[in-house]
Amino acid sequence: MSQGRRIRWELTALAYLAAGIMFFPIFWLFLTGFKSEGEAIAIPPKLIFQPTLESIQEALTRSDYGLHFLNSIISALGSTALALLLAIPAAYSMAFYPTRRTQGLLLWMISTKMMPPVGVIIPVYLIFRDLRWLDNVWALALIYTVMNLPVVIWTLYAFFREVPHEIMEAARVDGASIPQELLRVLLPLSVPAIASAALLSIILAWNETFWSLNLTSAQASPLSVYVASFKTAEGLFWAKMSAASMIAILPVMVMGWLAQRQLVRGLTFGAIK
């Protein structure tokens, strides 16, 4: 075997190993979801057992799963739509009409993701309380929008920056206004980037826990709060919590699987010239 082929085999093996390590928690989560509570906490863990739907049935009937699911849909899709509505013109202006402050503004936006949410929970909570926005699913969507906006802007900006300026200039020569240039020229070219940015925003909003736990209680709580409800004063119900987690992550897993080609294409466009 030549050295080049051996290196490729080694890199492939490392890639499969890394993928296996990352996938193992999900595999174990699904495995535990089909166990009884006794089998879920057994030491050593049982790999061979009689599967049961008891935990899944309990997870679906214990609380109003439909309400939590609807809240997750509204908050994730609503925040994504609003984030795209704000991010597309922002990324367009920074990509095609940059100023000397553009790079600093981009760095400042992404730096806000480094700040722990617990650092601002008190003022945000007080503002929401005074506005009577606590336990409101649309207010939660607004928080998710602010949380994900920097990521969406950066994703779209990286794509827009690689779009040939000659295409946009040709549209201007033909008499296109800025809205027409954006809607009729740039957006059709940017479907992969918009799809990947939207999917990232949906996944981040769907999995968010901190804000939903602190700003919702009953009527607006999404699936992340529903999963956390299986931790009670009586202890952790591992099988039921795993079943609830499995039910909660299935929609985004299926969505990510179906849209993986668009996601990879959108995220890698512009990475290599």
Side-chain angles (χ1 to χ4, degrees):
M1 182 182 296
S2 64
Q3 183 178 3
R5 182 173 294 183
R6 181 174 60 83
I7 292 175
R8 284 197 297 270
W9 274 102
E10 290 174 353
L11 291 176
T12 301
L14 285 174
Y16 276 108
L17 177 62
I21 292 173
M22 288 186 289
F23 179 74
F24 180 77
I26 299 176
F27 165 75
W28 195 257
L29 175 75
F30 275 68
L31 205 65
T32 307
F34 289 98
K35 293 181 178 180
S36 64
E37 287 296 338
E39 291 170 333
I41 61 174
I43 299 176
K46 292 185 177 181
L47 294 177
I48 300 176
F49 59 93
Q50 182 67 37
T52 175
L53 298 177
E54 178 186 349
S55 297
I56 296 176
Q57 292 172 347
E58 175 69 19
L60 288 173
T61 58
R62 176 176 172 177
S63 58
D64 193 348
Y65 170 79
L67 177 62
H68 295 296
F69 181 78
L70 179 62
N71 289 335
S72 287
I73 290 287
I74 293 174
S75 58
L77 295 185
S79 64
T80 297
L82 183 55
L84 287 174
L85 187 65
L86 297 173
I88 289 174
Y92 167 79
S93 65
M94 288 188 283
F96 292 98
Y97 303 97
T99 67
R100 58 188 179 89
R101 295 186 178 89
T102 296
Q103 291 301 317
L105 180 60
L106 285 166
L107 289 174
W108 174 79
M109 282 192 296
I110 204 65
S111 69
T112 61
K113 297 294 294 178
M114 304 176 190
M115 181 177 63
V118 69
V120 293
I121 181 60
I122 293 178
V124 170
Y125 183 89
L126 293 177
I127 291 171
F128 272 49
R129 183 199 63 185
D130 293 342
L131 294 175
R132 297 184 180 180
W133 283 1
L134 292 176
D135 203 23
N136 184 305
V137 68
W138 296 107
L140 187 65
L142 181 61
I143 282 289
Y144 288 172
T145 301
V146 176
M147 177 184 74
N148 295 330
L149 190 59
V151 176
V152 178
I153 289 177
W154 264 86
T155 303
L156 295 178
Y157 170 77
F159 188 96
F160 290 171
R161 190 177 55 182
E162 300 300 325
V163 174
H165 285 235
E166 292 78 8
I167 297 177
M168 313 304 290
E169 291 171 359
R172 295 184 203 120
V173 171
D174 290 340
S177 62
I178 289 181
Q180 291 173 332
E181 180 183 325
L182 179 61
L183 295 174
R184 297 184 180 179
V185 180
L186 185 60
L187 290 189
L189 294 173
S190 307
V191 171
I194 294 173
S196 62
L199 184 58
L200 274 175
S201 179
I202 290 172
I203 292 173
L204 290 172
W206 193 276
N207 294 333
E208 201 284 326
T209 303
F210 178 81
W211 292 110
S212 56
L213 282 173
N214 286 282
L215 298 179
T216 65
S217 55
Q219 297 302 314
S221 54
L223 286 173
S224 54
V225 177
Y226 160 77
V227 172
S229 68
F230 287 88
K231 179 182 179 181
T232 67
E234 300 172 3
L236 283 172
F237 296 93
W238 288 109
K240 295 179 179 62
M241 182 177 284
S242 298
S245 300
M246 180 175 63
I247 296 168
I249 67 175
L250 269 177
V252 290
M253 284 188 64
V254 173
M255 187 187 308
W257 179 261
L258 295 176
Q260 60 179 318
R261 186 168 297 178
Q262 288 282 75
L263 178 63
V264 172
R265 183 182 173 194
L267 291 177
T268 56
F269 189 93
I272 302 175
K273 293 186 179 181

